[in-house]
Every structure is written in structure tokens, then in C-alpha cells.
Amino acid sequence: MLEEERKYDVDPEFTLPDLSAVVPDGIRVVELPPVTLTATYLDTTDLRLARAGVSLRHRKGDELPWTVKLPAGSPGVRHEISRTGRPKSVPADLVALVTAYSRGAELKPAAVVRTVRRAYELRDGADRTLAELADDAVQVRDGKQVRSTFREIEVERKDGGRDLLDAVESALTGAGARTGAFTPKHVRALGATAEAAPDLVPPGELPERPSAGDVVTAAVRRSVGRLLAHDPLVRLRAPVGDDDTAVHQMRVGCRRLRSDLRTFGPLVRTAWAKPLRDELKWLAGVLGQARDAEVLRARLSRTAAADPLSPLDPAAVERMDRVLADRHSTALAEVDEALGSARYHALVEALVDATRTPQLTARADGPAEEVLPRLVARPWHRLTDGDDEVDGAADLDPAAPDERWHAVRINGKRARYAVDAVAGVLGGDAAKLARALAKVQDVLGEHQDAAVAAETWRSIAEQDPADHAVAVTAGRLVERERAAVRAARAAFPEAWRRASRGRRTAWLG
């Protein structure tokens, strides 16, 4: 679940304002009995979790005493996952959740924090808790000794809106509370070391006149960050949007990084990049099986419902979905096995190291605007002109087999990733080309998804020839998918014409 809260520093003598005077009508303030909470936080010896904004703790008295909190991309918003368990036995799945941050290093008690909490719930007329304010007096313990103390106030959003949090914040700051950086208790308890930079280096801002190496380094950091940020969400089976999944995003991180290391090969040391590309190919392959099952299940539902005036047999569709669900379950089990392997732990270590010290060649010192267009031109010309094995997009035969269209799609994805990597620096026509190529990829992606789906529906029907209802349903689904293939082929020339306009590609040479 997502936890959203705001923190405020207050002096020991701070007096809590009358919240009932600032909240909207119909909301009442309910004071809860004080509680004492003793939390033990685990971390590596170099505080990898704390520095990355992650925590793993055991807190006495909680119904679910073990909790992991993971960053969710916004200050004060975190993924919170809790489990049962004994104090000295960390749940294995929680240890796995922090793999991308701990990188398999041993986790030991790092801080003990004792909190006397006075809490207040803001409830509406239906007795729903809209927000909770916690007034915490905190002791940082070292055995029986108190090492330091502080007081802070947390306001956590429950079923209410942010406007309610804004009203409470206004009252608190008016009474003397101080807003500032969102600093968790254990980070304050651990001190300056816990506030140091994380091992995973973010892309950061490029200099005004970046070198080619600056751009490549930023691209590597973006993709590694994307990949590792979705590691715990893959393990949790958590969605990352209405129409997206963590498996998809993690796989995209793998594929983009592999593509960038290939496109910018002359700028990176081969002995460094090749092992990374090989291991990323392995991981992308494992994720790909699960992703393919996700896509097919979603497409089955969508294609089956595409024509309400000509409904398909719902029982037959359900039987087909069960086949895909079994494939999906098997594929996810293989993902879990891969993410728990020593091979994956080694890859994570290598990826984190890649963000710190990417190994560049002397050519990477050249100005980005001079070096990069020539490198991006290679995948672009391979897309446009093709070679002996793959058609060029410029002369792709509308009647060519699906496999030839798929091969162009692969080249299109490589070209798009390459242009994306430099568009932010080169701007102008490069940015326009990146957007146009995204639309080309949408068309080719729909073509591939429909072609694969048609073959899948046919193969499912062949598994049980005696199930005539599934055979008929699969046949109707295949017809709809082939119609989608034809529609994608019809849409492609215009999408390609827009992408290949001379003024958008002149910078490639």
C-alpha cells in the first residue's frame, strides 16, 4: 500500500493547536490513547538502505511488526509493506524486497528508536478516518542509554484529500511547527552517514555544453534507475498505472540500457559493456515471458469485448484465459527465481557500479553535438534502408510476412531508443523525431501484438480439438486480430512519412 505523510519539526515545548477549529465542518478530532513504540531498524554496515530512502524495521506491539518502506517517487509518499514474524527472524520476502538496495549484503540492527506517540484521528460523519496526526516524542536508544531525543509531528493521509492535510499544515506552521525535508526517524537517529548520497547515482543535470560521455552516462543512469526502482514492485506484483505493470517497466529498463550500450558502443569500453549487455539480455528474456503473458491476457479481454453487437462465448473466453493465467503464473515463478539468484545479485552490483563509474573511451570526451548524431545515424539508417536480412521501413512490402514486419519493428525500437537518448540534449528536430518514432512504434507494436495474439488463439484451440466452443471462439478472435494487423499496415505509411520528413532527420547526416 502507499503511505502519504508530512513531517514537521517542533520544539519540546510546542503546543498542539486546536485542530477542531481549522478542519471543515462535519469532521471531528478523536484523541487516541498514548502508546509507546519501540522500533529496531536493520541496515547494512554502510547504511545502504537509509541512504536510498528505504527502511526495514521490527516494531514491538504492532499487529504486523515487520515493515519495509520504499520510495515512491514523491517526497513523503512511500510503499509500505508489513508482515508478521518474530523479532529476530526477518521475513524472507521483505529481505528480497530490498535486494536492489542492499545488493545481498547482510542486514543487521542499525538503530533502535523508542517513540511515545499521542495520536489524533480526523473522522467524518461516517466515522471514516480521513487523516491521522501523530505527535511523537522520540528517543534514540543505545542499549539502556538514551543517545539523543527529538520531537516531531507526522500527518498521514488516510481516506481524506490533500486539502485536509493543507488545512492541518497551516494550523501547525501557524503555531510554530517547521516544514522541511522529509527525513524519516531512523535517518535522523543514524546521523549524517544515513543522509549521505545513495550508491545508485541519479542522472542529474547535464552541463551547459555536455560531452558525449555526459549524455551516455545520464542515459545509463536513467535506465538503471528505472530497472532497479521496479524490482520490488515486480516482486509485489504491484501495478504502476492504469494500463502498465512493473514487469513491463523493468523490462523496458533492461532493453533501453542494452540498446544504449550498443548504439554508443564506440564511447564505452567493450570489455565493460559486453558482459552487461549479455546479463541484461538474460534478465530481459526472463521478464519477457511474464510480460508476453500479461499482454496476451489483457488483449484477450479487450479483443473479446471489441464488438458488443457480436459477443463471444464468455465461458470459452474464460477457458482460454485460464490457459494464459497458467502461463503467466509459471513465468512469474521463473522471474522470482531469477531475482533471487546469485546471478541477479551480481548484475545489480554491476549496474549500481555502472552508475558510479561508467567506463568510457577517449572518444566520449568530444562535444555531444558533434559526436552523437553520427552514432545515432547508424540505427536510423538501418531502420530506413534495412540490409540483406531485414527490409527497410522506407520500402516495407505491405504484403510481407508478419516476421518481416516484426524485424522492422525491432530496428525501429533501437532507432527510437537512440534518438530518445540524445533528444534532450540536441533538442529541436531530434525531439520531434523522437516523438514521431514513438508513433511509428505504436503502429508496429500493435501489428506485432495482433499477429502474436492470432497465433496464440489458434494454438490454444489446437490444444483441445474436442472443445468446439473454444475452437469457434478462437476462430472469431483470429479474424479480429488479423483485421487489426491489416489496420496497422494501412496506418504505417502515414506514420512513417511523418517520421522520415527531411527536416526532422537532416541532423543525422
Side-chain angles (χ1 to χ4, degrees):
M1 61 173 287
L2 280 177
E3 172 196 70
E4 180 179 346
E5 64 183 15
R6 302 178 186 181
K7 286 182 180 286
Y8 306 89
D9 292 331
V10 294
D11 297 325
E13 65 275 11
F14 177 81
T15 300
L16 197 68
D18 181 6
L19 297 178
S20 62
V22 299
V23 297
D25 292 341
I27 297 177
R28 58 196 178 94
V29 180
V30 178
E31 183 175 359
L32 304 179
V35 294
T36 299
L37 306 167
T38 301
T40 300
Y41 290 86
L42 278 64
D43 210 327
T44 62
T45 53
D46 56 356
L47 303 185
R48 295 177 184 181
L49 302 190
R51 290 187 289 111
V54 175
S55 67
L56 169 57
R57 77 173 185 220
H58 179 275
R59 193 161 72 181
K60 291 180 181 178
D62 285 355
E63 183 179 353
L64 299 173
W66 283 102
T67 298
V68 161
K69 292 188 180 183
L70 302 163
S74 300
V77 181
R78 295 178 291 179
H79 297 281
E80 181 177 305
I81 308 96
S82 296
R83 298 285 187 268
T84 59
R86 297 178 178 179
K88 294 185 179 181
S89 181
V90 190
D93 62 332
L94 295 191
V95 174
L97 278 182
V98 300
T99 295
Y101 306 97
S102 69
R103 308 198 299 284
E106 185 179 3
L107 299 168
K108 298 180 179 180
V112 177
V113 175
R114 181 171 294 173
T115 301
V116 177
R117 170 166 291 178
R118 292 175 171 80
Y120 305 81
E121 290 184 345
L122 279 60
R123 300 179 186 173
D124 63 9
D127 212 34
R128 292 185 308 152
T129 301
L130 305 181
E132 181 180 303
L133 182 147
D135 185 356
D136 292 342
V138 183
Q139 293 180 339
V140 180
R141 311 281 294 192
D142 187 358
K144 294 183 178 181
Q145 301 296 316
V146 177
R147 227 169 3 110
S148 62
T149 63
F150 58 89
R151 184 181 174 195
E152 68 175 19
I153 290 176
E154 298 177 352
V155 182
E156 183 177 352
R157 182 183 176 192
K158 299 291 188 179
D159 290 334
R162 293 189 178 92
D163 54 345
L164 178 58
L165 269 62
D166 292 341
V168 173
E169 178 170 299
S170 179
L172 290 172
T173 55
R178 299 178 295 276
T179 60
F182 184 93
T183 306
K185 287 184 178 65
H186 73 293
V187 173
R188 294 183 64 172
L190 289 165
T193 302
E195 297 187 64
D199 290 340
L200 183 66
V201 183
E205 295 291 331
L206 289 171
E208 186 175 348
R209 296 184 65 81
S211 68
D214 291 331
V215 176
V216 173
T217 297
V220 168
R221 289 172 176 170
R222 274 196 303 272
S223 291
V224 173
R226 182 181 203 162
L227 191 162
L228 296 183
H230 288 91
D231 168 306
L233 302 183
V234 167
R235 299 172 193 267
L236 289 169
R237 314 289 192 249
V240 293
D242 294 337
D243 299 311
D244 206 356
T245 68
V247 167
H248 177 225
Q249 287 299 316
M250 192 173 184
R251 186 188 185 205
V252 168
C254 289
R255 296 173 77 169
R256 276 190 179 270
L257 183 51
R258 286 193 74 236
S259 180
D260 288 344
L261 292 174
R262 173 175 175 164
T263 297
F264 303 119
L267 308 182
V268 295
R269 296 188 182 280
T270 302
W272 171 77
K274 187 179 184 305
L276 269 182
R277 293 190 70 245
D278 290 344
E279 291 305 279
L280 288 165
K281 181 178 181 180
W282 160 71
L283 180 58
V286 175
L287 294 166
Q289 297 299 314
R291 177 57 182 165
D292 290 347
E294 287 178 349
V295 170
L296 286 166
R297 292 192 73 189
R299 192 167 188 98
L300 174 61
S301 176
R302 187 169 63 252
T303 305
D307 186 357
L309 299 180
S310 183
L312 304 185
D313 182 340
V317 172
E318 183 179 355
R319 289 197 293 278
M320 295 177 70
D321 183 64
R322 283 204 296 269
V323 174
L324 297 176
D326 288 343
R327 292 184 191 178
H328 193 198
S329 179
T330 299
L332 288 174
E334 292 174 356
V335 168
D336 289 339
E337 183 178 354
L339 297 188
S341 68
R343 182 178 184 178
Y344 178 70
H345 288 176
L347 174 58
V348 172
E349 192 73 53
L351 291 172
V352 171
D353 186 63
T355 68
R356 289 184 297 212
T357 54
Q359 296 187 24
L360 306 177
T361 64
R363 187 174 173 184
D365 294 335
E369 60 186 16
E370 295 179 12
V371 175
L372 296 179
R374 293 195 297 272
L375 298 179
V376 176
R378 293 178 182 177
W380 169 254
H381 289 307
R382 181 172 171 80
L383 169 63
T384 57
D385 303 332
D387 55 28
D388 293 340
E389 298 178 0
V390 181
D391 293 332
D395 54 6
L396 182 56
D397 183 356
D402 293 338
E403 293 77 10
R404 296 181 79 91
W405 280 73
H406 180 48
V408 173
R409 174 177 175 257
I410 291 173
N411 282 343
K413 185 167 291 188
R414 290 170 178 164
R416 177 193 172 188
Y417 286 166
V419 175
D420 276 349
V422 304
V425 175
L426 302 181
D429 291 332
K432 291 177 182 177
L433 179 59
R435 291 192 292 271
L437 281 175
K439 293 179 180 177
V440 169
Q441 281 305 105
D442 288 344
V443 173
L444 292 175
E446 168 63 12
H447 180 284
Q448 175 66 4
D449 287 350
V452 169
E455 289 303 312
T456 301
W457 311 150
R458 186 178 292 111
S459 69
I460 290 176
E462 290 172 351
Q463 290 177 17
D464 187 0
D467 192 333
H468 300 296
V470 165
V472 170
T473 299
R476 296 180 66 189
L477 286 167
V478 168
E479 290 176 357
R480 293 179 182 183
E481 300 294 4
R482 294 312 303 179
V485 167
R486 292 192 295 275
R489 294 189 180 205
F492 178 76
E494 176 60 17
W496 177 247
R497 184 186 68 79
R498 291 177 178 272
S500 56
R501 286 175 178 170
R503 64 176 181 270
R504 287 184 178 163
T505 62
W507 60 278
L508 291 165

